[in-house]
Amino acid sequence: MNSANKVTETKVTTEQRLLDVRNLEVTYASGAAAVRGVNLSVDAGQKLGVAGESGCGKSTLALALLRLLPAGTKVTGEVLLDGEDVLTMKWGKVRAVRWAGASIVFQGAMHSLNAVHRIGDQIAEPILLHKKATQAGARKKAGELLEQVGLPAARAEAYPHELSGGQRQRVMIAMALACDPRLIIADEPTTALDVMIQAQILRLIEQLVAEQDLGLIMISHDLAVLSDTCDRLAVMYAGRVVEEGPASEVYENAQHPYGKALSAAFPRIGDAASRFAPRGLPGDPPDPSLLPTGCTFHPRCTVALDSCTTEDQALRDAGPRHRAACVHAGAQLPAQPTSAPATAERAP
């Protein structure tokens, strides 16, 4: 009886899942393995943060979810949006899904907006195409969306260069909401914004997710921002998820040396130790076309074992709803030096 109830409960949870990414692999025409075996899920009303340095595959992951990668890129696995696989959809369905099912807020609004068209026309365009609205109806909806993100409807007549950076980012969010999607993918939505505007944009996104019961994937290199904004956090390195769990838990108690290094890189208010002795991480993520053997993080890891050079690590339990791809996961990580050497020495 208990077993039957458990099966039923699991089935219901799976059916209600908004996004389910299964074993996603992305390889560019150059042979670079940018995303490797990623598994993620997002439910309606849930906020998932994806963190990592530049070059770890975060943006490639976001683009792969809606098939926005260049021709010649090999993408395998499954991207189930409301149970339908985006990777096998016909192009006509994909075009509709990109607005009505899921939409992206790209980083760098000035590069994404058309400089010679008024912002009202740019917001109205997808409404005309996918909602079959009249010109007047689309313009009215564009004004309502601007007000929803905190801008006067009259700003619909402005050109992108007439708006500030924060205002342009709000326009990008309004465009993402134009066709009432159920999932928003925000790729570094606060890049290059000052801290006051950044806080406003983050609160706005949180409010929209709560009010409209949206799913959110927020991509950033800043663990502090993600831990404050998101429910769950996935840390990517060299195209793989190396740690995942409740956002606050991953930020405060990372179980992978990379997650721990990202968290320690940000000084914490009131913590003199982190302010005067921040822990850096030398080096860069590996070239995705020349990945090291074993655990891809071992060349930069100060607590790696000899076995880490030959044996890769799968995600393993590291606490309640918390997993990490590290041989030390679930145990206390060995102490790491304040400033790691350029060539990390492996422990015996």
Side-chain angles (χ1 to χ4, degrees):
M1 181 70 177
N2 291 339
S3 179
N5 288 341
K6 185 176 181 180
V7 171
T8 302
E9 181 181 347
T10 302
K11 183 179 180 181
V12 170
T13 302
T14 302
E15 289 177 349
Q16 291 178 340
R17 187 161 289 162
L18 175 58
L19 177 72
D20 195 5
V21 180
R22 300 177 182 175
N23 197 31
L24 185 65
E25 305 255 353
V26 177
T27 305
Y28 287 112
S30 63
V35 174
R36 304 181 297 128
V38 167
N39 295 279
L40 294 173
S41 63
V42 181
D43 296 321
Q46 186 180 49
K47 296 165 289 186
L48 171 69
V50 179
E53 297 168 281
S54 296
C56 285
K58 307 185 303 298
S59 294
T60 295
L61 170 65
L63 296 174
L65 298 182
L66 292 178
R67 288 170 60 179
L68 291 169
L69 292 166
T73 305
K74 182 182 179 182
V75 183
T76 61
E78 294 179 293
V79 178
L80 302 178
L81 185 62
D82 281 326
E84 292 189 74
D85 191 355
V86 176
L87 301 183
T88 60
M89 288 178 182
K90 294 183 178 180
W91 276 111
K93 181 68 179 290
V94 172
R95 288 186 65 200
V97 164
R98 285 174 179 169
W99 288 97
S103 58
I104 295 184
V105 179
F106 294 102
Q107 59 178 308
M110 197 62 186
H111 302 294
S112 302
L113 294 171
N114 192 318
V116 299
H117 289 283
R118 300 180 192 274
I119 61 169
D121 294 332
Q122 297 185 58
I123 297 172
E125 182 179 4
I127 302 172
L128 289 168
L129 287 174
H130 299 289
K131 290 291 188 178
K132 307 302 182 185
T134 63
Q135 194 76 35
R139 293 287 295 180
K140 180 181 178 182
K141 177 70 172 177
E144 292 172 352
L145 287 166
L146 286 174
E147 291 182 341
Q148 190 175 357
V149 298
L151 291 175
R155 298 301 280 164
E157 298 302 314
Y159 290 95
H161 70 272
E162 297 178 308
L163 303 177
S164 69
Q167 290 174 328
R168 287 194 293 267
Q169 203 62 47
R170 289 171 185 264
V171 171
M172 292 296 297
I173 295 172
M175 289 181 68
L177 297 171
C179 294
D180 304 312
R182 298 194 60 213
L183 174 70
I184 299 291
I185 303 168
D187 187 1
E188 301 273 11
T190 57
T191 296
L193 300 179
D194 63 68
V195 291
M196 295 297 291
I197 299 301
Q198 180 186 72
Q200 293 175 19
I201 295 296
L202 293 174
R203 296 293 84 80
L204 170 62
I205 292 174
E206 285 187 285
Q207 179 184 347
L208 292 171
V209 169
E211 290 177 352
Q212 301 186 29
D213 199 31
L214 305 174
L216 172 70
I217 297 177
M218 180 176 287
I219 296 171
S220 178
H221 61 277
D222 192 332
L223 257 67
V225 166
L226 293 178
S227 68
D228 186 51
T229 306
C230 298
D231 307 311
R232 293 187 62 77
L233 181 59
V235 178
M236 288 189 70
Y237 185 78
R240 290 186 58 196
V241 173
V242 296
E243 185 160 10
E244 63 176 4
S248 58
E249 172 70 11
V250 173
Y251 181 58
E252 298 290 344
N253 186 32
Q255 292 294 300
H256 192 284
Y258 182 62
K260 199 172 189 69
L262 287 181
S263 178
F266 296 91
R268 306 190 185 202
I269 296 175
D271 183 354
S274 69
R275 179 183 176 188
F276 292 108
R279 293 176 179 173
L281 182 63
D284 298 293
D287 185 328
S289 61
L290 296 170
L291 295 174
T293 59
C295 172
T296 52
F297 185 64
H298 85 260
R300 304 174 71 190
C301 184
T302 60
V303 295
L305 306 178
D306 286 336
S307 60
C308 297
T309 64
T310 56
E311 299 174 11
D312 203 354
Q313 299 295 321
L315 289 168
R316 64 181 72 183
D317 289 339
R321 301 174 62 229
H322 187 177
R323 300 192 300 163
C326 179
V327 68
H328 300 293
Q332 183 67 37
L333 279 174
Q336 301 182 65
T338 300
S339 182
T343 302
E345 295 181 1
R346 293 190 296 276

